[in-house]
């Protein structure tokens, strides 16, 4: 986050704390009304439950929906519990169709049924159709607020049609061209509409090579496509190329943020949808699960050390030096793991280049292993006045850094193949591998050559 943006966010949090301390409903209302929905959502996630309620009670119903779809699931559920049903119905009436779908997906029963009953029959049918799509696919992301035109009309006719509409959906940079059965034919960009002679037919200036996104495309792939092609919006189509809706760049920004949150939190075994200010007992219970998994791997490493108890009793210097091997292996493996996880996320790794990547990381591990082996061997030998001990330390370093590079490259690829999130499980498995191999190689070599 840029420094200016970070300072602005911190300033808003400080202002929120100051306003809440005054206890004045008027000051709280004035402060909240000066914020954008995304800023309010960020503040609500940063406050304790009692303070959230003070903010939430002064938020106008017409922006409640926009805020609810921006806060994480757990905070949203807590806010729904203190939201008046009529206010929630008003909130949905003001929302765009894609945001409304996002909100409906988190509403509990019977609240969902009450909201659906309160909206019109036509709108309800549209929303029910949208809810049938996977929320992590293009169909789940799309808005059904689209403008479609035919290719056999003049640009002047299109302009008159737009003026009669009076408004266009947000982030509209093009109009979707369809045939009589709503099958996608191409896009008419607004710059063409405004700059080309009005007697020109749409068919003569539309982009017939424009990309349309299948409704089943994963949200992650949609984000990559938008980033690579600098897209502002794109139509979503069915299997028979019938236009279903459109995705805009603001939806893609939400995907990017969610994935970033997921990757950061997964590395610690946490869920990005959890409330930062959840009760202590709830947070402790959630984290205990991941701590238990890590404890198992720690016992495994300790068991390996225990196999060489007799060696450690006779050569105390080994206990001092062995954390160096494991630590260096862990860092080297994490570097490779991070690189590969990123490559998988960006679809930059496939069967076509995976083997080359493995050999490249193997070479990097070997070079760094030899380089740092010389350093630690020299330091270890001088420290304990034993060059043989230094040489064993260096040899163990080479072994562990090579194995760490291989593990860092292989583990995320294997996890991805079997459908497990590499960001979630990769770190734990890698730490286990580098610790076990590090201790085994150093203590094993010492047992063979020094005992």
């Amino acid at each position: 986050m840029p420094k200016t943006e970070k300072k602005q966010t911190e300033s808003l949090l400080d202002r929120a704390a100051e306003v809440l301390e005054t206890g004045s409903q008027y000051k709280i209302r004035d402060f909240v009304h000066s914020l954008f929905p995304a800023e309010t959502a960020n503040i609500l996630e940063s406050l304790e439950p009692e303070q959230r309620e003070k903010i939430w009670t002064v938020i106008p119903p017409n922006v409640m929906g926009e805020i609810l779809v921006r806060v994480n699931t757990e905070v949203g559920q807590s806010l729904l519990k203190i939201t008046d049903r009529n206010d929630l119905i008003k909130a949905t009436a003001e929302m765009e169709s894609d945001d409304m779908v996002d909100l409906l997906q988190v509403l509990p029963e019977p609240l969902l049924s009450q909201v659906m009953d309160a909206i019109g029959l036509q709108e309800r049918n549209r929303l029910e159709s949208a809810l049938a799509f996977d929320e992590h696919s293009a169909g789940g992301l799309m808005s059904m607020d689209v403008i479609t035109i035919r290719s056999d009309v003049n640009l002047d006719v299109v302009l008159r049609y737009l003026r009669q509409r009076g408004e266009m959906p947000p982030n509209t940079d093009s109009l979707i061209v369809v045939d009589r059965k709503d099958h996608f034919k191409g896009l008419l960009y607004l710059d063409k509409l405004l700059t080309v002679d009005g007697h020109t037919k749409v068919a003569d200036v539309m982009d017939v090579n424009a990309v349309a996104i299948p409704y089943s495309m994963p949200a992650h792939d949609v984000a990559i496509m938008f980033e690579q092609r600098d897209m502002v919006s794109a139509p979503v189509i069915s299997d028979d190329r019938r236009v279903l809706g459109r995705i805009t760049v603001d939806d893609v920004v939400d995907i990017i943020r969610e994935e970033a949150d997921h990757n950061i939190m997964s590395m610690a075994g946490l869920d990005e949808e959890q409330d930062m200010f959840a009760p202590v007992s709830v947070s402790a219970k959630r984290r205990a699960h991941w701590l238990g998994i890590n404890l198992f791997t720690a016992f495994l490493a300790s068991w390996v050390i225990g196999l060489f108890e007799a060696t450690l009793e006779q050569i105390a210097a080994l206990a001092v030096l062995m954390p160096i091997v494991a630590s260096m292996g862990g860092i080297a493996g994490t570097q490779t793991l991070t690189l590969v996880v990123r490559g998988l996320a960006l679809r930059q790794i496939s069967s076509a280049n995976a083997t080359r990547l493995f050999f490249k990381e193997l070479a990097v591990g070997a070079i760094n292993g030899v380089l740092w082996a010389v350093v630690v061997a020299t330091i270890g030998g001088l420290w304990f006045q034993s060059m043989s001990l230094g040489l064993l330390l260096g040899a163990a370093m080479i072994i562990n850094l090579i194995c760490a590079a291989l593990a860092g490259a292989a583990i995320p690829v294997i996890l991805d193949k079997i459908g497990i999130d590499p960001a979630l499980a990769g770190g734990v498995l890698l730490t286990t591998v580098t610790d076990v191999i590090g201790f085994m190689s150093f203590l094993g070599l010492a047992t063979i050559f020094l005992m």
Side-chain angles (χ1 to χ4, degrees), residues 192-229:
K192 296 289 185 183
L193 175 63
L194 298 174
T195 59
V196 177
D197 183 85
H199 295 95
T200 307
K201 287 189 177 296
V202 170
D204 295 331
V205 292
M206 72 180 191
D207 183 1
V208 295
N209 297 315
V211 174
I213 299 176
Y215 74 94
S216 57
M217 178 180 284
H220 176 79
D221 292 347
V222 173
I224 291 177
M225 178 180 288
F226 265 70
E227 185 268 330
Q228 292 178 339
R229 305 191 181 195

Side-chain angles (χ1 to χ4, degrees), residues 60-79:
N62 63 317
V63 296
M64 279 184 172
E66 292 186 63
I67 295 170
L68 284 170
V69 297
R70 283 174 167 80
V71 297
N72 66 50
T73 301
E74 196 163 284
V75 172
Q77 294 293 344
S78 67
L79 294 175

